[in-house]
Amino acid sequence: MRAWEGVFRFPVEGRSKKPRKTGFTMILDKGLGIEETKDLIKTSSEWIDNIKLSFGTSAFYDEELLKEKNRIIRESGVEVMPGGTFLEVAIWQKAYAQYLERAKKLGFTTIEVSDGTIQIDLKERREIIRKALDAGFKVISEVGKKDPNEKVAVSLMHQEIAADLESGAFKVIVEAREAGKGVGIYDKEGKVKEDEIDGIVSGVKDTDKLIWEAPIKNQQQHLIVRFGVNVSLGNIPPADILALEALRQGLRGDTLKKAYLKNKDWG
Amino acid sequence: MRAWEGVFRFPVEGRSKKPRKTGFTMILDKGLGIEETKDLIKTSSEWIDNIKLSFGTSAFYDEELLKEKNRIIRESGVEVMPGGTFLEVAIWQKAYAQYLERAKKLGFTTIEVSDGTIQIDLKERREIIRKALDAGFKVISEVGKKDPNEKVAVSLMHQEIAADLESGAFKVIVEAREAGKGVGIYDKEGKVKEDEIDGIVSGVKDTDKLIWEAPIKNQQQHLIVRFGVNVSLGNIPPADILALEALRQGLRGDTLKKAYLKNKDWG
Amino acid sequence: MRAWEGVFRFPVEGRSKKPRKTGFTMILDKGLGIEETKDLIKTSSEWIDNIKLSFGTSAFYDEELLKEKNRIIRESGVEVMPGGTFLEVAIWQKAYAQYLERAKKLGFTTIEVSDGTIQIDLKERREIIRKALDAGFKVISEVGKKDPNEKVAVSLMHQEIAADLESGAFKVIVEAREAGKGVGIYDKEGKVKEDEIDGIVSGVKDTDKLIWEAPIKNQQQHLIVRFGVNVSLGNIPPADILALEALRQGLRGDTLKKAYLKNKDWG
């Protein structure tokens, strides 16, 4: 039972339940140990849909340790994937088949397909997604570049998003890196550029398929206010998962205030 | 025994001991798991007086897990309370009696009474405090608004502080949120606005009753230099508890330097 | 076995192996508990050479707890030292012999010799280093001041570095504090001042002997690009150790991109 069940209604209602299709939360894990992972899972697995082992960090784990970590995550009903950077190295080095085979052996459930750093054309991208699906993985793709000097035209982004979903990707992530500053929909201070979002959503049929990387609280809040309680968010620091959920469901100052002003006589 | 006992004197002496009445430290916990909580308590319980489960995060715990967590905290001689945001939801939804009853059952020892988001008048506030005391809780109240556009007049703050203490609140927190920026006594960059502090203390009889939320190191340092080793501080991130204690007792560059310049021939 | 061994080559090769002489990584530990320490060690001991218990934080541990923590670190092949601030207090209070004796008893393996806050002349500094070596410790010294208003002339820095190494220090740390802003080689925003680095290395025979404190990602990246995969870095937050290793070995966007552009046809 939830700790406060029956005492009050959540100020913002309608939060999706697991296994959820909208309101997806993806955690960015930079190297939690086994006990930290257990703590995170025990406290918050209901609110986490996917854990990404950031960039190439999974290369530095001992094999048995990583298998154990992935098992703990997987058995709690949370998906786990290596960062897309890692896949890009495999593609570049023509080792994709071995990559998929090892990922399976290590216990990953999902593959992130990105071209944040290396160049991959649309046809190759489609094949990469197909092969991961054939190997039994879920696929999440990512659009956008990591280098702020290398901007992707919004029309190409629309094309990629449509193609990835058609190829079988489950969700498409909009890139913002770990820092969430000076990249994609965020300016140098991490503030949301509303017109960049407008541009992206203008050419996307089903915006529920997008996961917005939003490592910083103000970004999360902005996106929740714009898209609602069940917006999908990624690159959430593990320590912030419950704070994010409080923001979603109106149990934190900013979203609580909106709910309160709308329903002063509620309850 | 303390690890270095007998080897040297603390550069800044006079630190209060538990159960302390001044020099109170309140931790902001955004969702530590059981093992993390045990680690924090084993390492630092002597330096922690109170742990606040931030905003409404405690709503997302499993009941048994939260009971266990609160028990670990409580049995180490540290107080534990849900965030004031949570109480505000209960008041708004006319569920305060149930709130107190459930808080007791979950093992909380202290109730935070705030109106950072919703409106509560002085008379109702007094009753809220009384009811929590009657139910066997300690009470800490909070003054200040979370929304930077909604400033509380300093005269009203003085009135609230006096009334809360008279009603039986143990301490009164001065609001600064988790981020400590652009709110209360801090400017947009998190720097201390000395005149705001002057304004607050000018109308407070016993400044030892105030807990200043000070999540950032420079804020902690400023307040320690201004009010001394035993200033009460809140919203301290769990990872920073020993660093704060080093700052208080002169075992970190900034406060050590002051102590050294005053007592070069000491020892 | 490493988790992905045999699947791909690291984009940046040549990373040194333990016990390494170059490419040293020093972690800044502000108070990890026993389980957190075990997690860090199990996940990352191969990538950590030294753990510094920051400033005077080790004064707040229970003696037995600290012994256990130091034992866990030591037995994994990682060195452990108290912060230099602590030694400065001992020197100031004329308690250096007791300091060394207790440090040994507590299980520290390394002593940091600094004068970031108090004044120590070159002759005394030499004796301090010698005594620590005689007591069976490794010595790492530090140059630079913690107070941004108190700059050390680069010629004195050169003199200190040469003298410390001659006295038997294993490495010399270039001060940047925990925050890495407005101190030493970093400006107020934490950006690297290239000319300050030029000044320092211009008078140092063997730059492999230097450890650059670099708590922020952009600083780490800048120094890795300038000095190579095996630059020695310090004040790394525990949570960032694998991210740093990914940056070193080209498994993170920024350094991966450089490697990719150089070797597009690789693999």
Side-chain angles (χ1 to χ4, degrees):
Chain A
M1 203 180 87
R2 287 290 122 199
W4 295 86
E5 213 163 299
V7 174
F8 63 90
R9 288 157 71 184
F10 282 82
V12 177
E13 298 180 297
R15 181 75 176 106
S16 59
K17 292 211 168 72
K18 287 190 101 174
R20 58 178 64 88
K21 295 205 165 155
T22 64
F24 202 86
T25 296
M26 184 263 280
I27 293 286
L28 191 70
D29 173 336
K30 294 195 292 176
L32 298 180
I34 294 294
E35 296 304 321
E36 291 165 316
T37 303
K38 283 185 189 166
D39 258 1
L40 179 69
I41 289 296
K42 264 196 226 169
T43 311
S44 309
S45 66
E46 192 173 332
W47 316 108
I48 303 173
D49 301 281
N50 185 297
I51 294 179
K52 184 202 285 196
L53 304 194
S54 61
F55 7 100
T57 52
S58 65
F60 306 113
Y61 285 75
D62 170 76
E63 185 181 1
E64 295 308 316
L65 191 79
L66 184 55
K67 280 183 183 169
E68 189 186 349
K69 177 167 173 169
N70 285 348
R71 189 185 51 73
I72 292 163
I73 297 172
R74 218 171 48 231
E75 292 184 353
S76 75
V78 173
E79 309 284 342
V80 59
M81 66 184 181
T85 299
F86 217 45
L87 170 133
E88 296 183 45
V89 172
I91 300 296
W92 165 35
Q93 297 192 5
K94 305 179 184 67
Y96 187 48
Q98 299 93 305
Y99 174 82
L100 289 177
E101 192 186 352
R102 185 67 59 87
K104 181 67 76 175
K105 196 174 149 199
L106 292 169
F108 289 102
T109 66
T110 303
I111 295 292
E112 186 188 29
V113 175
S114 63
D115 62 350
T117 305
I118 77 163
Q119 297 296 338
I120 301 178
D121 65 30
L122 277 174
K123 184 162 160 277
E124 195 181 358
R125 193 173 169 108
R126 185 180 302 260
E127 278 166 27
I128 291 167
I129 294 174
R130 293 270 165 86
K131 281 181 185 162
L133 292 169
D134 287 347
F137 292 101
K138 289 193 176 187
V139 170
I140 292 181
S141 75
E142 186 177 59
V143 295
K145 288 291 181 185
K146 291 187 183 299
D147 186 338
N149 301 317
E150 202 186 342
K151 222 170 143 349
V152 181
V154 72
S155 58
L156 176 56
M157 225 181 244
H158 293 157
Q159 219 183 328
E160 282 185 351
I161 293 169
D164 289 356
L165 292 172
E166 202 200 298
S167 301
F170 169 66
K171 295 275 185 197
V172 180
I173 298 170
V174 182
E175 169 77 75
R177 309 204 66 177
E178 184 205 347
K181 290 181 180 175
V183 59
I185 61 170
Y186 307 117
D187 70 15
K188 279 188 185 175
E189 272 122 40
K191 286 194 192 123
V192 177
K193 296 194 279 186
E194 197 66 41
D195 55 331
E196 294 280 340
I197 299 188
D198 291 340
I200 294 172
V201 300
S202 73
V204 174
K205 222 189 263 177
D206 180 2
T207 54
D208 278 346
K209 292 289 187 184
L210 299 178
I211 300 178
W212 306 90
E213 290 189 346
I216 302 173
K217 183 209 150 188
N218 291 332
Q219 300 170 348
Q220 297 157 14
Q221 185 177 322
H222 188 110
L223 291 160
I224 290 168
V225 169
R226 169 148 186 177
F227 293 105
V229 57
N230 288 321
V231 64
S232 289
L233 299 172
N235 283 15
I236 306 303
D240 290 349
I241 177 67
L242 294 189
L244 169 62
E245 205 52 44
L247 208 48
R248 284 185 187 276
Q249 303 200 43
L251 287 173
R252 190 167 184 184
D254 315 270
T255 48
L256 168 58
K257 190 167 179 188
K258 274 188 188 296
Y260 169 65
L261 292 177
K262 224 166 70 182
N263 298 296
K264 276 200 182 178
D265 297 326
W266 208 24
Chain B
M1 202 181 87
R2 287 290 122 200
W4 294 88
E5 213 164 300
V7 174
F8 63 91
R9 289 157 70 184
F10 282 84
V12 176
E13 298 181 298
R15 180 74 175 106
S16 59
K17 291 210 168 71
K18 287 190 97 172
R20 58 178 65 88
K21 295 205 166 155
T22 64
F24 201 86
T25 296
M26 182 264 279
I27 293 287
L28 190 69
D29 173 335
K30 293 195 290 175
L32 297 180
I34 294 294
E35 295 305 320
E36 290 165 316
T37 303
K38 283 185 187 166
D39 257 1
L40 179 69
I41 288 297
K42 265 197 223 167
T43 311
S44 308
S45 65
E46 191 172 336
W47 316 107
I48 302 172
D49 301 282
N50 186 296
I51 294 179
K52 183 202 286 197
L53 304 195
S54 62
F55 6 100
T57 52
S58 65
F60 305 113
Y61 286 74
D62 170 78
E63 185 181 5
E64 294 309 315
L65 191 80
L66 184 55
K67 280 183 182 170
E68 188 187 348
K69 177 166 174 170
N70 285 348
R71 188 186 51 74
I72 293 165
I73 296 171
R74 218 170 51 230
E75 291 183 353
S76 75
V78 173
E79 309 284 343
V80 58
M81 66 186 181
T85 299
F86 216 46
L87 170 133
E88 297 183 45
V89 173
I91 299 296
W92 165 35
Q93 297 193 3
K94 305 182 184 67
Y96 188 47
Q98 300 93 304
Y99 175 81
L100 290 177
E101 194 187 349
R102 185 67 59 88
K104 182 66 77 175
K105 196 174 149 199
L106 292 169
F108 289 103
T109 68
T110 303
I111 296 292
E112 185 187 30
V113 175
S114 64
D115 62 351
T117 304
I118 76 162
Q119 299 296 337
I120 301 178
D121 66 30
L122 277 174
K123 183 162 161 279
E124 193 182 1
R125 194 173 168 108
R126 185 180 302 261
E127 278 165 29
I128 291 166
I129 294 174
R130 292 272 164 83
K131 281 180 186 163
L133 292 169
D134 287 347
F137 292 102
K138 291 194 175 186
V139 170
I140 293 182
S141 75
E142 187 177 57
V143 294
K145 287 291 180 186
K146 289 187 185 299
D147 185 338
N149 300 317
E150 202 186 344
K151 223 172 142 349
V152 180
V154 72
S155 59
L156 175 58
M157 225 183 244
H158 293 157
Q159 221 182 327
E160 281 185 350
I161 293 169
D164 289 355
L165 292 171
E166 203 200 297
S167 301
F170 169 66
K171 295 275 185 199
V172 180
I173 298 171
V174 182
E175 169 78 73
R177 311 206 62 179
E178 185 205 347
K181 292 183 178 172
V183 58
I185 62 170
Y186 306 117
D187 70 14
K188 279 187 185 177
E189 271 121 42
K191 287 196 192 121
V192 177
K193 296 194 280 187
E194 198 64 44
D195 55 330
E196 294 280 339
I197 299 188
D198 291 341
I200 295 172
V201 301
S202 74
V204 174
K205 223 190 262 178
D206 181 1
T207 54
D208 278 346
K209 292 288 188 185
L210 299 178
I211 300 178
W212 305 90
E213 290 188 347
I216 302 173
K217 182 209 149 188
N218 291 334
Q219 301 170 347
Q220 297 158 13
Q221 184 177 322
H222 189 109
L223 292 160
I224 290 168
V225 169
R226 168 147 187 180
F227 293 106
V229 57
N230 287 321
V231 64
S232 288
L233 299 173
N235 282 14
I236 306 303
D240 290 349
I241 177 67
L242 294 188
L244 168 62
E245 205 53 43
L247 208 48
R248 285 186 186 274
Q249 303 200 43
L251 287 173
R252 189 168 184 183
D254 316 86
T255 49
L256 169 58
K257 189 165 180 190
K258 275 188 186 297
Y260 169 67
L261 292 176
K262 223 166 72 182
N263 297 296
K264 277 201 182 176
D265 299 326
W266 207 26
Chain C
M1 202 182 88
R2 287 290 122 202
W4 294 87
E5 216 164 298
V7 175
F8 64 91
R9 291 157 70 185
F10 282 82
V12 177
E13 297 181 298
R15 181 74 177 107
S16 59
K17 291 212 167 71
K18 289 190 98 172
R20 56 179 65 88
K21 295 204 166 156
T22 63
F24 202 86
T25 296
M26 184 262 279
I27 293 286
L28 190 69
D29 173 335
K30 294 195 291 175
L32 297 180
I34 294 296
E35 295 305 321
E36 289 165 317
T37 303
K38 282 185 189 166
D39 257 1
L40 179 69
I41 288 297
K42 263 196 227 169
T43 311
S44 308
S45 66
E46 191 173 334
W47 316 108
I48 303 173
D49 301 282
N50 186 295
I51 294 178
K52 184 201 287 197
L53 304 194
S54 62
F55 6 100
T57 51
S58 65
F60 305 114
Y61 285 76
D62 170 77
E63 186 182 2
E64 294 309 315
L65 190 79
L66 184 54
K67 280 184 183 169
E68 189 187 347
K69 176 167 175 170
N70 285 348
R71 189 185 51 72
I72 292 164
I73 296 171
R74 218 171 50 230
E75 292 184 352
S76 75
V78 173
E79 310 284 342
V80 59
M81 67 185 181
T85 300
F86 216 45
L87 170 133
E88 296 182 47
V89 173
I91 299 295
W92 164 35
Q93 297 193 5
K94 304 181 184 67
Y96 187 48
Q98 300 93 303
Y99 175 81
L100 290 176
E101 193 185 350
R102 184 66 59 89
K104 182 65 78 177
K105 198 175 147 198
L106 292 168
F108 289 102
T109 67
T110 303
I111 296 292
E112 186 187 29
V113 174
S114 63
D115 62 351
T117 306
I118 77 163
Q119 298 296 338
I120 301 177
D121 66 29
L122 277 174
K123 184 160 161 279
E124 193 182 359
R125 193 172 168 108
R126 185 180 301 261
E127 279 165 28
I128 291 166
I129 293 174
R130 291 272 164 84
K131 281 180 185 162
L133 292 168
D134 288 347
F137 292 100
K138 291 193 175 186
V139 170
I140 292 182
S141 75
E142 186 178 58
V143 295
K145 288 292 182 187
K146 290 187 185 299
D147 186 338
N149 301 316
E150 202 186 344
K151 222 172 142 351
V152 181
V154 71
S155 59
L156 176 56
M157 225 183 245
H158 293 156
Q159 221 182 326
E160 281 185 352
I161 292 169
D164 289 355
L165 292 171
E166 203 201 297
S167 301
F170 168 67
K171 295 275 184 198
V172 181
I173 297 170
V174 182
E175 169 78 74
R177 309 205 64 179
E178 184 205 348
K181 291 184 179 175
V183 59
I185 62 170
Y186 306 116
D187 70 14
K188 278 185 184 177
E189 272 121 43
K191 288 198 191 118
V192 177
K193 296 193 279 187
E194 197 65 42
D195 57 329
E196 294 280 340
I197 299 188
D198 291 340
I200 293 172
V201 300
S202 73
V204 174
K205 222 190 265 177
D206 181 2
T207 54
D208 278 345
K209 292 289 187 185
L210 299 178
I211 299 177
W212 306 90
E213 290 189 346
I216 301 173
K217 182 211 149 186
N218 290 333
Q219 300 170 348
Q220 297 157 13
Q221 184 177 323
H222 189 111
L223 291 160
I224 290 168
V225 169
R226 169 149 185 175
F227 293 106
V229 57
N230 288 321
V231 64
S232 287
L233 299 173
N235 283 15
I236 306 303
D240 290 350
I241 177 66
L242 294 188
L244 169 62
E245 205 54 43
L247 208 49
R248 285 186 186 275
Q249 304 200 42
L251 287 173
R252 191 168 182 182
D254 316 270
T255 50
L256 168 59
K257 189 166 179 187
K258 275 189 187 298
Y260 169 66
L261 292 176
K262 224 167 69 183
N263 297 296
K264 277 202 183 176
D265 299 325
W266 208 24

